[in-house]
Amino acid sequence: MQPAIEVQNLHKSFGELKAVDGASFNVPQGEIYSLLGPNGAGKTTTISMLSTLLRPDSGDALVMGHSIRKDPMGVKSVLGVVPQDIALYEDLSARENLTFWGKMYGLRGAALKQRVDEVLEIIGLTDRQKGRVSKFSGGMKRRVNIGVALLHKPKVIYMDEPTVGIDPQSRRSILDSVIALKNAGMTVLYTTHYMEEAQELSDQITIMDHGKLIASGTHDELVKIVGQMDRIRLTINAEGARVVTAWKSTPGVKQVTAEDGTLNLLVDDSNQVLPRLFDAATTSGVRITSVDIQLPNLEAVFLHLTGRALRD
Amino acid sequence: MNHILDIALNDLVQIVRDRKVFLFLLIMPICFTLLFGYAFGGFSSGGDSDPRLPVAVLDEDDGRFSQELFALLKGSEVIRIETDLEKSRFDYEKALSDGDLAGIVTIPAGYSQAMLDGQPIPLDLWADQASTTGTTVQNEVLMAAKRLASAVWTAQITSQAAGKTADFDALVSEALLAWQEPPIRIEATSGVVAEEEPSQSVMSMAHTAPGMILQFAIASLLTAAQVIVSERKSRCLQRLLTTATQRVHILMGHFLSIFAMLFTQFMLLIVFGQFILKVDYLRLPGATLLVAVASVLCIAAMGLLIGVLAKSEEQAVMFSLIPMFVLSGLGGAWVPLEFTGAAFQTIGHASPIAWAMDGFKNIIVRGLGLESIWLPVAALVGYAVVFFGLAAWRFRSE
């Protein structure tokens, strides 16, 4: 089956900054595909190019067979976009917003009214449909923001960090709706810097950093990059440099990075390595004030590949 | 086409829900029209019911011919006789110095007898001869006095020729009547200026009212520009660009809403001017409509351009204030360009407001016909095309 999205060597620069540097990936139809990376990694620029808002410097992408360069209107006709920022008319009600956007997607008359009713049901705002968006909570606005993209039943939907800045309950609701979209047969391209979201939702994940795609695969495939290594986060009461050298030479330690008073270590087996780390710290005259052990996950993969934590 | 209407309606719904907009679109223009009209001499004494110049006549002769002169002046289409038996000469002189009277005419004692003796004595006329009003009063009074003297002289000649059988009074009346239907009448007409001049207050409003309409239409540029700036700020514009709506349709939708908003403002203020301020917009309703449409097309396109250029609300305010002050001032919306020199009038016509003012004034002040508005309308439409073209070109990179 033809991929829903085929990205071919996309490049985009803003002056000296290479925002996207040779991105290539395929998104199979009916899957949730996540772009995972910190702020500034190039995720939104990629989405902007794929939704024809930005013209790439070079490269191309096909969305359901429509080229973003040669057939932008064809791309838009099969696409629903949930932007990172809430894009709604605050002085209009939820229903008025959905009705207006439905018209912009080509819906009219009874079909429009019926679809607006369905979407209000999907986003759980039937009871509040006449309320002005300006009076809504952040989570409710996010739900309307998503609802707009569903109006014309697009084959492909882009969701650019849709859970930023909302309460846990609304976040849970949005994640459930993303899974529901997949179950309804839609292809979802999802960007996030929350490892847990990518892990929970995605069939496939691509990790981005500084405009480059640095790893792609399923969650399990990506985790294998760091093997069975555990991740240990330590805080100490002194300069990290006094103990880093000692810990790097400790058996079982694969990588040590220091950031803002926190030391991140990738180790073979935390149970065996931890006593040695305490011994080395004592020898160096350093006191360990906290310890956090994490099993292999995408955070560890990102740390392994970039030397930095994902949340930074 | 549907998308254009949908976008325009969406804008208008949001504009209507903002009550502050009404203040700027309607209430303030009406207040300023009244204020500026007053400042430029509107609402002068006498009101609008009788536009003739008020003149006091003091009859110290109280003879037959002084009463004839009084009757002649009373029938004048230019001056209106103010008679108040309670008022003294001092009261009239004070009224003249206050500007409540245009002149005082004193008919001296012995006027009638001197007329009969063939040695008419001059009238005593007080009026500001440095002003148009004063000279108008002087001309009208002297003309009446000359008519009376001619009638008396004619009656005397006829009486002498006819002998004792002739009725001298009837001959005088007949001679005066002849002035009303002279055998030869010279009428001067002009294709430029209407002969019949309306009252001072109506004239000042005729200058002020269109100026204020244009001034506040220009002031509404801010509201117009904010339509696009707010949409960009709320990220809705970017979202619109991800739908299958063509860019030119988005632009035209916003243009249509701005046009509708400004045109409504124009129409309301024209109706206000016509029926409340007595500015005769409806003398040529089709021409007034054409000038209004062309003006709104131009200003709406300017608002669209500012909205596309401004990247923030602060920029929108700044970009709107510049044309608001420069184009309005330069174009004669505040002070009529007729009050300025030829060079300033030429420079002023770089502003589309000057062309709009020309269009309106040709209809309501100069009394010209439909043919007089084609040039102003063409200039305004030309400006509109340029502004819209620039906005469309800039919007391509949105």
Side-chain angles (χ1 to χ4, degrees):
Chain A
M1 192 189 297
Q2 180 196 27
I5 306 169
E6 295 176 71
V7 180
Q8 302 154 0
N9 199 26
L10 279 184
H11 288 263
K12 184 69 187 177
S13 296
F14 300 104
E16 295 296 309
L17 176 70
K18 288 185 175 178
V20 176
D21 189 7
S24 296
F25 59 90
N26 289 340
V27 180
Q29 288 189 34
E31 289 195 358
I32 299 174
Y33 192 101
S34 289
L35 293 177
L36 176 68
N39 293 332
K43 307 185 297 290
T44 298
T45 304
T46 303
I47 289 269
S48 296
M49 285 191 285
L50 294 180
S51 52
T52 75
L53 274 178
L54 278 179
R55 189 171 176 81
D57 295 336
S58 63
D60 198 359
L62 302 178
V63 181
M64 299 305 291
H66 302 282
S67 163
I68 60 170
R69 283 180 169 277
K70 297 170 190 162
D71 185 17
M73 294 306 273
V75 172
K76 290 174 181 179
S77 67
V78 297
L79 194 61
V81 179
V82 180
Q84 184 172 353
D85 299 302
I86 291 165
L88 299 169
Y89 295 101
E90 296 256 323
D91 289 335
L92 302 185
S93 68
R95 183 173 197 94
E96 286 169 335
N97 263 287
L98 291 172
T99 302
F100 171 74
W101 289 109
K103 288 175 182 173
M104 292 300 102
Y105 285 122
L107 299 174
R108 299 274 152 192
L112 171 63
K113 184 178 179 303
Q114 184 185 345
R115 185 58 186 159
V116 168
D117 287 337
E118 289 171 6
V119 170
L120 283 167
E121 192 70 36
I122 291 169
I123 61 177
L125 288 173
T126 303
D127 294 342
R128 300 291 304 274
Q129 60 178 292
K130 290 182 181 173
R132 281 203 190 180
V133 167
S134 58
K135 307 286 183 192
F136 283 6
S137 67
M140 289 163 74
K141 288 179 183 176
R142 287 272 174 205
R143 279 144 69 185
V144 181
N145 203 36
I146 292 172
V148 167
L150 307 180
L151 283 161
H152 59 307
K153 298 181 180 173
K155 294 186 173 71
V156 178
I157 189 163
Y158 301 160
M159 305 183 88
D160 191 9
E161 309 221 28
T163 59
V164 169
I166 59 172
D167 59 277
Q169 190 182 352
S170 295
R171 188 180 191 188
R172 184 65 258 161
S173 167
I174 287 172
L175 296 182
D176 289 343
S177 68
V178 176
I179 294 167
L181 294 176
K182 179 196 171 186
N183 293 337
M186 289 185 194
T187 304
V188 180
L189 179 60
Y190 191 94
T191 76
T192 183
H193 62 265
Y194 295 127
M195 173 201 72
E196 302 86 348
E197 288 183 5
Q199 187 171 328
E200 178 185 342
L201 297 174
S202 312
D203 295 300
Q204 290 195 68
I205 300 164
T206 284
I207 298 176
M208 286 191 82
D209 190 38
H210 294 311
K212 289 180 183 287
L213 308 189
I214 55 175
S216 287
T218 63
H219 173 260
D220 291 344
E221 287 168 348
L222 289 173
V223 168
K224 277 181 186 171
I225 293 173
V226 289
Q228 291 303 310
M229 287 187 285
D230 295 342
R231 181 184 177 211
I232 303 174
R233 288 165 66 92
L234 297 155
T235 51
I236 56 178
N237 68 342
E239 278 291 315
R242 288 171 59 180
V243 74
V244 165
T245 308
W247 282 352
K248 276 184 176 171
S249 58
T250 301
V253 175
K254 300 297 182 189
Q255 189 179 43
V256 181
T257 55
E259 289 173 26
D260 299 333
T262 301
L263 294 154
N264 294 293
L265 290 77
L266 288 175
V267 302
D268 286 334
D269 181 347
S270 52
N271 278 349
Q272 291 181 2
V273 173
L274 260 178
R276 296 172 198 155
L277 296 178
F278 274 89
D279 289 344
T282 305
T283 306
S284 304
V286 170
R287 183 177 176 82
I288 295 172
T289 54
S290 76
V291 179
D292 178 23
I293 302 170
Q294 293 177 339
L295 296 176
N297 58 19
L298 294 173
E299 187 91 34
V301 175
F302 191 83
L303 180 68
H304 177 71
L305 294 174
T306 68
R308 293 181 295 112
L310 185 56
R311 294 179 198 283
D312 298 328
Chain B
M1 187 63 190
N2 278 339
H3 283 177
I4 296 173
L5 291 175
D6 292 334
I7 291 169
L9 269 176
N10 190 50
D11 285 347
L12 289 173
V13 166
Q14 292 175 85
I15 288 169
V16 167
R17 286 182 181 173
D18 186 352
R19 289 180 184 173
K20 291 193 297 290
V21 171
F22 283 103
L23 182 71
F24 273 97
L25 287 187
L26 198 58
I27 307 300
M28 283 183 66
I30 287 175
C31 293
F32 272 75
T33 303
L34 292 170
L35 185 69
F36 271 65
Y38 180 75
F40 281 103
F43 316 117
S44 58
S45 66
D48 290 337
S49 57
D50 188 345
R52 294 177 299 171
L53 298 169
V55 173
V57 177
L58 303 176
D59 187 359
E60 293 177 350
D61 179 57
D62 199 21
R64 178 169 177 274
F65 293 122
S66 68
Q67 288 171 11
E68 282 287 355
L69 179 64
F70 190 88
L72 279 176
L73 294 175
K74 199 171 182 183
S76 167
E77 292 179 354
V78 177
I79 61 174
R80 179 180 75 243
I81 304 298
E82 291 281 312
T83 50
D84 186 348
L85 296 175
E86 299 293 314
K87 284 186 178 174
S88 65
R89 181 179 189 90
F90 175 78
D91 293 331
Y92 284 126
E93 286 175 3
K94 186 173 184 305
L96 180 66
S97 64
D98 290 345
D100 294 334
L101 280 178
I104 302 173
V105 179
T106 305
I107 306 174
Y111 179 80
S112 297
Q113 188 57 49
M115 189 79 77
L116 273 175
D117 296 344
Q119 302 284 328
I121 52 177
L123 299 168
D124 183 13
L125 174 64
W126 285 26
D128 181 6
Q129 297 194 5
S131 73
T132 309
T133 305
T135 53
T136 304
V137 169
Q138 183 186 33
N139 291 338
E140 187 68 7
V141 171
L142 290 180
M143 189 174 69
K146 278 182 182 175
R147 282 185 181 184
L148 180 61
S150 298
V152 171
W153 188 53
T154 304
Q156 283 175 332
I157 293 171
T158 310
S159 172
Q160 285 169 5
K164 291 184 179 178
T165 55
D167 181 351
F168 183 75
D169 290 349
L171 288 171
V172 171
S173 299
E174 197 176 327
L176 284 172
L177 197 66
W179 279 107
Q180 294 175 18
E181 292 177 8
I184 300 171
R185 183 192 299 266
I186 299 172
E187 287 191 11
T189 58
S190 167
V192 178
V193 180
E195 284 297 303
E196 188 178 336
E197 291 189 8
S199 71
Q200 187 184 1
S201 62
V202 171
M203 284 301 291
S204 65
M205 280 301 173
H207 281 281
T208 306
M212 284 300 106
I213 291 178
L214 291 162
Q215 162 66 32
F216 275 89
I218 283 272
S220 299
L221 281 178
L222 181 57
T223 309
Q226 292 288 12
V227 168
I228 297 179
V229 172
S230 299
E231 188 160 73
R232 188 186 290 114
K233 187 182 175 188
S234 71
R235 317 298 291 182
C236 288
L237 184 56
Q238 290 82 340
R239 181 165 226 166
L240 262 179
L241 292 171
T242 69
T243 68
T245 308
Q246 292 182 18
R247 281 173 188 250
V248 68
H249 288 172
I250 296 172
L251 212 54
M252 289 181 75
H254 289 313
F255 179 72
L256 184 60
S257 68
I258 297 169
F259 179 89
M261 177 182 75
L262 293 179
F263 189 70
T264 305
Q265 184 191 42
F266 256 71
M267 287 299 107
L268 289 171
L269 291 175
I270 282 175
V271 168
F272 178 79
Q274 176 72 36
F275 294 106
I276 308 298
L277 305 179
K278 307 297 182 193
V279 178
D280 198 7
Y281 289 111
L282 296 186
R283 192 179 72 79
L284 287 174
T288 300
L289 185 66
L290 266 176
V291 176
V293 167
S295 303
V296 174
L297 278 174
C298 175
I299 296 170
M302 203 189 307
L304 192 75
L305 177 61
I306 291 173
V308 170
L309 289 176
K311 296 301 175 198
S312 64
E313 288 173 345
E314 291 76 17
Q315 278 191 0
V317 171
M318 193 176 71
F319 292 169
S320 302
L321 285 178
I322 293 170
M324 183 173 156
F325 287 109
V326 176
L327 298 184
S328 298
L330 210 59
W334 298 340
V335 177
L337 283 182
E338 292 87 336
F339 292 5
T340 66
F344 191 89
Q345 287 185 29
T346 305
I347 295 167
H349 278 81
S351 162
I353 298 303
W355 292 103
M357 289 295 289
D358 279 354
F360 280 122
K361 284 186 177 178
N362 285 350
I363 302 164
I364 60 175
V365 176
R366 300 179 184 119
L368 300 181
L370 185 65
E371 70 283 353
S372 70
I373 64 156
W374 294 127
L375 182 60
V377 165
L380 289 165
V381 171
Y383 272 110
V385 170
V386 170
F387 290 143
F388 189 91
L390 286 172
W393 172 73
R394 189 68 186 80
F395 194 64
R396 287 172 59 199
S397 60
E398 180 73 41

